[in-house]
Amino acid sequence: MQLLDAHARHYAWGSRTLIPELKGEEPGTRPVAELWFGAHPANPSTIGDERLDDIIAAAPEAMLGAQVCAKFDGRLPFLMKILAAGEPLSLQAHPTPEQARDGFEREDAAGIALDDPKRNYKDTSHKPEIIIALTDFYAMAGFRPLEQTRELFAALNCDGLAHYESMLVDSPEAEESNLRVLFTTWITIPAAIRTKLIEDVTVAAHEYVGSAEPGDWIAGVLRTVIALQEQYPGDPGVLGALLLNHIQLSPGEAVYLDAGELHAYVRGMGVEVMANSDNVLRGGLTSKHVDVPELVRVLNFEALSSPRVEQEDLSQHESLSGGAAWGYPVPIDEFSVVRCELSGDDSVELASSRPGIVLCTAGRTVIEHADPQAGPDPVTLSPGQAVWLPANAAPCKASVGEGAESTQLFIARA
């Protein structure tokens, strides 16, 4: 077990306060959008003066274990982050493994440098991801079922939408093609036509919100649409927001997004775990490169009834001595993630043949070897700090650090 030094990413959409407050620091002058814990070559964590990706490359089987090493070609297959959104992220989607390999090879063959702002594919991996809320968290995630979108359009009663409503044929067999036609039309129509449509939608949205009852889901969607138009006037993402599931997460709740799911995180802080990739295809709500044909090529237009992840209660797991734990089942092999809450003398064993990262998000966590003679001194983590547990690590356990009443930690493993 070794302390990981994570490097901050200062994107414009980040929050100036959320991550500094988590770490007990004063806000700085720049927004802090993400802390990366992992071995992605674009921004690897470090142990002392060494990059984690270099440490793994020097002894891949020892660090990853034989099975993970063979399956993922000697690379750590996941990336863990703390993400803090003060403003909406770009409307985006991620490719499948096949699309990522094809896109990476095409852009290499075209001579597009990896650091070129117009580069879509930074690596050959897909990027399925889960985000688990640390604060109240608002996200737009996946195309909602068309029945609900037709309900929203009818309630909005906007003359400018009438032409486009005709694209939403009431037929389950046509749902996917309907979404493809409508979204592709909106993202490709001339800017002047799109701007006028958004203005009409916004006027109708203000009228609806002004008379809506508390808890009206349509009013909640339209408030977000209005806010997006104020920040990104005339942007295609404002129209895209009309078609997506709008999800409010409480702390501990989670959303999982697979390849091709259109989404944008709007506000809040969470722990994000994903395949070890930085491939993003953007469709709006950003000043960065937007490649409409490539985005449409990777999108999954099948409606997503709910992107929420049902938590699995692990409180009776044999690794726990007191405390509580929850798992977040995901349909991929690159990672698993568990959230633990410990107090008093509670502890959780961390023994495994798979590599992992343990991240503290509240209180203080102490990690020590089961046999004090087996390794270095215990490591104490404050919120926003993490340790690397290689596959060959001696058995160890996590418990509440000195001076703290409780702790919350996330354990991600390959």
Side-chain angles (χ1 to χ4, degrees):
M1 58 179 183
Q2 294 171 292
L3 186 67
L4 283 177
D5 184 13
H7 302 289
R9 308 282 278 193
H10 299 280
Y11 303 131
W13 51 260
S15 167
R16 289 186 58 251
T17 59
L18 287 173
I19 288 178
E21 287 176 356
L22 176 80
K23 299 177 68 177
E25 301 172 352
E26 291 295 320
T29 57
R30 293 189 295 170
V32 185
E34 295 177 339
L35 297 178
W36 284 25
F37 301 91
H40 193 283
N43 199 3
S45 301
T46 53
I47 297 174
D49 295 329
E50 292 187 86
R51 293 164 46 125
L52 182 58
D53 56 337
D54 289 340
I55 293 171
I56 292 171
E61 190 162 321
M63 292 292 102
L64 302 178
Q67 185 175 358
V68 172
C69 183
K71 186 168 187 175
F72 297 103
D73 197 26
R75 293 189 290 269
L76 183 67
F78 71 87
L79 175 63
M80 192 176 198
K81 301 179 181 179
I82 297 177
L83 179 148
E87 299 178 0
L89 280 68
S90 59
L91 191 68
Q92 61 187 260
H94 310 300
T96 65
E98 295 76 19
Q99 290 166 341
R101 286 192 294 270
D102 174 68
F104 187 87
E105 291 170 0
R106 279 190 286 112
E107 292 186 337
D108 264 3
I112 304 174
L114 281 174
D115 58 356
D116 190 317
K118 294 184 178 181
R119 177 100 186 196
N120 293 314
Y121 297 94
K122 306 297 179 65
D123 50 66
T124 59
S125 177
H126 65 159
K127 193 184 174 187
E129 62 189 44
I130 187 172
I131 189 153
I132 305 166
L134 292 175
T135 67
D136 288 341
F137 195 92
Y138 192 90
M140 302 186 295
F143 290 107
R144 81 165 71 82
L146 277 189
E147 181 180 356
Q148 296 173 25
T149 295
R150 282 192 290 268
E151 180 185 349
L152 184 149
F153 281 17
L156 193 55
N157 192 27
C158 172
D159 290 342
L161 277 179
H163 167 68
Y164 303 99
E165 285 185 76
S166 65
M167 298 179 182
L168 305 183
V169 179
D170 187 6
S171 166
E173 294 77 14
E175 189 165 272
E176 186 173 341
S177 59
N178 285 342
L179 282 168
R180 178 183 294 275
V181 169
L182 180 56
F183 181 77
T184 304
T185 298
W186 277 354
I187 205 170
T188 56
I189 57 176
I193 296 175
R194 183 170 57 241
T195 297
K196 179 61 168 62
L197 173 59
I198 293 173
E199 289 173 351
D200 291 345
V201 166
T202 305
V203 169
H206 276 289
E207 292 178 358
Y208 184 92
V209 168
S211 59
E213 297 291 332
D216 184 333
W217 74 269
I218 292 176
V221 169
L222 296 180
R223 289 188 187 98
T224 299
V225 169
I226 291 168
L228 293 175
Q229 164 65 357
E230 290 174 353
Q231 186 171 357
Y232 296 98
D235 190 281
V238 179
L239 294 175
L242 290 172
L243 304 177
L244 300 178
N245 292 298
H246 288 234
I247 307 294
Q248 178 75 49
L249 300 177
S250 298
E253 295 181 331
V255 161
Y256 171 77
L257 292 161
D258 214 331
E261 302 291 357
L262 190 66
H263 64 282
Y265 300 144
V266 179
R267 59 180 176 271
M269 179 169 62
V271 172
E272 189 177 31
V273 187
M274 63 190 65
N276 193 15
S277 173
D278 198 26
N279 288 326
V280 179
L281 286 305
R282 299 178 180 87
L285 308 181
T286 182
S287 59
K288 294 183 178 180
H289 175 58
V290 173
D291 187 335
V292 170
E294 193 66 17
L295 173 68
V296 171
R297 193 176 77 86
V298 307
L299 278 182
N300 176 10
F301 288 95
E302 183 177 353
L304 184 64
S305 59
S306 175
R308 290 177 180 270
V309 179
E310 293 297 325
Q311 299 178 52
E312 179 184 4
D313 188 348
L314 302 178
S315 297
Q316 302 304 314
H317 195 275
E318 60 184 10
S319 65
L320 272 176
S321 177
W326 298 267
Y328 297 85
V330 293
I332 54 168
D333 297 330
E334 279 82 357
F335 64 83
S336 65
V337 59
V338 172
R339 172 173 62 96
C340 292
E341 293 184 359
L342 308 176
S343 60
D345 295 328
D346 299 341
S347 64
V348 57
E349 295 178 3
L350 300 173
S352 177
S353 60
R354 297 179 295 143
I357 293 172
V358 180
L359 169 66
C360 175
T361 55
R364 287 169 69 81
T365 303
V366 62
I367 300 178
E368 55 191 334
H369 285 285
D371 177 2
Q373 307 301 316
D377 293 337
V379 175
T380 299
L381 304 178
S382 297
Q385 292 185 313
V387 294
W388 163 243
L389 293 177
N392 65 356
C396 54
K397 68 176 183 178
S399 54
V400 180
E402 185 176 353
E405 295 182 356
S406 62
T407 189
Q408 177 177 257
L409 58 145
F410 288 78
I411 305 166
R413 291 203 182 273

